[in-house]
Amino acid sequence: MHMNCSTICQAVTNCMNIPNSTSRTLHKPFVFPNTQKCDGALALFRSSVSYNKVNGGFSLCRCATTSVPPGEDVFSVVTSDALSGVDYLGQSTKGDLNLNFGIDGKALQGPVEEVAKMEAQEAENLLQHLGIPVPYNARHSPRGIFCSRTLNLRSISAIGYDMDYTLMHYNVMAWEGRAYDYCMENLRNVGFPVDGLAFDPDLVIRGLVIDKEKGNLVKADRFGYIKRVMHGTRMLSTREVSEIYGRELVDLRKESRWEFLNTLFSVSEAVAYMQLVDRMDEGLIGPDLCPLEYKCLYKAVGKALFRAHVEGQLKSEIMSKPELFVEPDPELPLALLDQKEAGKRLLLITNSDYHYTDKMMQHSFNRYLPNDMSWRELFEMVIVSARKPEFFQMSHPMYEVVTGEGLMRPCFKARPGGLYSGGSAQMVESSLNVHGDEILYVGDHIYTDVSQSKVHLRWRTALICRELEEEYNALIHSQQERATLIDLINQKEVLGDLFNQLRLALQRRTAGRPAQTLAATHMDDDELTESIQKLLLVMQRLDQKIGPMLDEDGELFNKRWGYLSRAGLWDKSHLMRQIEKYADIYTSRVSNFLHYTPFMYFRAQEQNLAHDSYTFDHLRREN
């Protein structure tokens, strides 16, 4: 029997002519005759679909061809019409790839788990053949992108970027060092004793909090309890910390007292302030310069640094020789180019003015872009002098920059492709017709960039923290020391449990009550006491070894403050809590996106709970 192509196509069409369904659909079998095949019918057959919500977007069709034995399960490709809009985690599937061409059904037979492993291996082999790094390598590296809240980049329509310390990274010693110099010069001009002081970037790290009332710099854990303190430039002992703060918590809502070091721009200010606290304690700063209050001293330093920025000398120096201040990153423009070509609408939203932005972006981008492309061509909209965080909170007048010299005119509605000054985030949403979680905003300031865009607009957020690379490497190189320390702490915990049981037995015997067991009740007092004393002695010796090791933990990152993300061996720092709360993803630099593709699905890791370890230990003992 012979069938022509039109007959076969009609038969396949009839076979597939069923309503869309969100459950597994079994198509009526159709067998192609051995004597004749139709490529059009095969293509139509292979692109037939039904959506299976449980299997995450793939469906099994019970169909047969000459190459697939009857009764075998064959995968088909899903179309956009059948999508439910969300995946198994409730994340939007908008922007997912919709295939409109066929695949070889024979290669996709069998249980989904086995097919997934086989296809993953084949894809990995193909990537290696093409010389493309396997995605796993990017995730587990100092330049990885780390996920706090699951984020599907495919569902993101627009990506907004901050500029300073986000799209471009400044050399901290050069940029902050010059800011410090200008600040000190302004303080010297009004009479402050600053001679002999020098910029020391290792004195502070991001995420610390200034206590303006006490002249202290503190590091707090995720609950706000203060773990380390520096008064002036002197680190305080654990006893001193306890005496000064007790159980007092850092409360960032009390802005009159606490100042959070959100960004690397805070480094020069904090260094200058802590050094001048020493000068005030030494009696070198009289009441004629500043009332003898640490809070007034902080205000004077802030005013001097503000003048350095406003008067324009610092930025003029940087614009004249940007190569001395900006660390080049050739991968950065390519990462943004990938995103643009993937259909993402790129935005630049910066507090810097037009002239500074244009000069620095030209230096950082133009030489790395292909075909004489300009940095402006990357972005669908550029907003300078944005006045963040107010940009995310309220409306301000908007002006369109209409000439290369920066001349502006009032503007009431933004348009794609425009260059503007001021305005608001709501205007951006209205102009681009994208809202809320369709927008990802990337910045380095945990408050100005990340928390405000999330709290007020529900934008998705990414934090840039260059120090992550150094911390990641420090953690890798200190693995052995940390493992030894944890082993010692576990030994003390075991001894402590035994000590407490024997102590309770002695307590009950002394009170004339039966001990926990009959044997303990009749145990010799001297033997019981001797065992308790031995355990106590060993625990004291362990403490003597554990204490210095705890103090040294994190020294590979910073000798005074330890790790950026940790407050002690076990707990997260206050900064890390802020990052987890407000940043969906975080990474060391924007160019890290280049190694992940614009279609990446970032999935948050399982969050361990206190009782998880106990259930694990129970299962281990049972086995």
Side-chain angles (χ1 to χ4, degrees), residues 138-144 146 468-470 472-473 587-588 592:
R139 299 185 191 187
H140 300 274
S141 76
R143 294 188 57 181
F146 310 104
L468 283 172
E469 293 179 20
E470 185 182 349
Y472 190 100
N473 287 324
T587 190
S588 63
N592 294 344

Side-chain angles (χ1 to χ4, degrees), residues 509-550:
R509 283 169 57 83
T510 304
R513 295 193 297 112
Q516 292 96 316
T517 66
L518 184 61
T521 302
H522 296 293
M523 187 177 183
D524 181 76
D525 285 349
D526 292 339
E527 184 181 355
L528 187 57
T529 303
E530 183 181 357
S531 296
I532 291 174
Q533 290 175 341
K534 286 180 179 178
L535 289 173
L536 183 59
L537 178 63
V538 174
M539 287 192 295
Q540 289 173 345
R541 295 291 173 82
L542 282 173
D543 276 343
Q544 293 173 3
K545 192 168 185 178
I546 290 171
M549 292 182 71
L550 278 174

Side-chain angles (χ1 to χ4, degrees), residues 33-54:
N34 293 330
T35 53
Q36 188 173 354
K37 296 188 177 81
C38 172
D39 291 340
L42 282 171
L44 183 59
F45 162 73
R46 286 170 178 166
S47 63
S48 66
V49 301
S50 62
Y51 179 66
N52 186 326
K53 191 172 184 180
V54 176

Side-chain angles (χ1 to χ4, degrees), residues 574-593:
H574 205 54
L575 173 67
M576 196 66 235
R577 177 68 187 97
Q578 298 287 314
I579 292 174
E580 287 185 329
K581 184 176 182 181
Y582 296 115
D584 297 317
I585 55 177
Y586 60 98
T587 190
S588 63
R589 58 180 88 186
V590 172
S591 57
N592 294 344
F593 280 104

Side-chain angles (χ1 to χ4, degrees), residues 51-289:
Y51 179 66
N52 186 326
K53 191 172 184 180
V54 176
N55 286 341
F58 288 101
S59 178
L60 299 179
C61 299
R62 182 94 43 200
C63 301
T65 70
T66 54
S67 60
V68 181
E72 289 289 342
D73 284 339
V74 179
F75 286 87
S76 293
V77 182
V78 69
T79 64
S80 58
D81 293 337
L83 289 174
S84 67
V86 295
D87 66 6
Y88 70 103
L89 286 175
Q91 290 289 308
S92 170
T93 55
K94 177 184 176 182
D96 279 359
L97 180 65
N98 299 315
L99 301 178
N100 57 6
F101 50 85
I103 57 175
D104 184 0
K106 184 177 181 180
L108 295 179
Q109 297 179 55
V112 63
E113 299 87 350
E114 295 179 8
V115 172
K117 292 178 182 178
M118 178 185 68
E119 292 301 315
Q121 185 60 57
E122 289 189 8
E124 185 173 330
N125 293 340
L126 179 58
L127 286 175
Q128 291 177 348
H129 177 72
L130 297 172
I132 300 174
V134 177
Y136 177 88
N137 296 331
R139 299 185 191 187
H140 300 274
S141 76
R143 294 188 57 181
I145 299 179
F146 310 104
C147 182
S148 301
R149 180 187 171 213
T150 300
L151 171 65
N152 182 6
L153 276 188
R154 298 189 296 274
S155 69
I156 296 297
S157 300
I159 305 178
Y161 286 102
D162 176 45
M163 184 179 74
D164 300 305
Y165 280 124
T166 300
L167 284 181
M168 64 182 66
H169 182 72
Y170 297 108
N171 181 303
V172 175
M173 191 64 191
W175 210 108
E176 294 304 315
R178 291 302 290 149
Y180 172 91
D181 293 340
Y182 280 110
C183 175
M184 287 305 193
E185 185 62 28
N186 288 335
L187 288 169
R188 180 184 288 108
N189 292 339
V190 295
F192 278 89
V194 298
D195 291 340
L197 298 179
F199 180 59
D200 180 7
D202 293 327
L203 196 63
V204 303
I205 60 173
R206 188 204 304 245
L208 301 178
V209 184
I210 294 177
D211 182 351
K212 292 180 281 191
E213 287 186 2
K214 300 182 183 296
N216 292 337
L217 191 60
V218 308
K219 184 176 187 179
D221 65 14
R222 57 182 165 144
F223 303 110
Y225 290 104
I226 296 168
K227 297 298 184 181
R228 296 192 187 190
V229 176
M230 184 170 72
H231 179 76
T233 58
R234 181 180 72 87
M235 296 300 297
L236 304 186
S237 67
T238 303
R239 180 180 293 275
E240 288 175 307
V241 173
S242 179
E243 289 174 353
I244 294 173
Y245 289 103
R247 308 315 295 168
E248 188 173 10
L249 299 177
V250 169
D251 186 354
L252 297 178
R253 292 171 297 181
K254 297 180 179 179
E255 297 179 3
S256 62
R257 178 176 181 183
W258 306 104
E259 187 71 26
F260 192 43
L261 306 186
N262 282 292
T263 174
L264 289 173
F265 278 129
S266 305
V267 171
S268 53
E269 181 180 32
V271 170
Y273 176 63
M274 301 317 293
Q275 290 175 338
L276 285 178
V277 166
D278 285 342
R279 295 288 166 99
M280 178 173 278
D281 290 344
E282 294 166 5
L284 300 178
I285 299 177
D288 55 321
L289 284 175

Side-chain angles (χ1 to χ4, degrees), residues 12 50 63 85 114 156 171 175-177 193 209 253 281 299 307 322 353 375 379 413 427 436 440 474 485 569:
V12 175
S50 62
C63 301
E114 295 179 8
I156 296 297
N171 181 303
W175 210 108
E176 294 304 315
V209 184
R253 292 171 297 181
D281 290 344
K299 185 175 180 180
R307 281 187 58 196
D353 61 69
W375 72 269
F379 297 93
K413 182 175 176 59
M427 291 181 182
L440 172 68
L485 177 55
L569 183 66

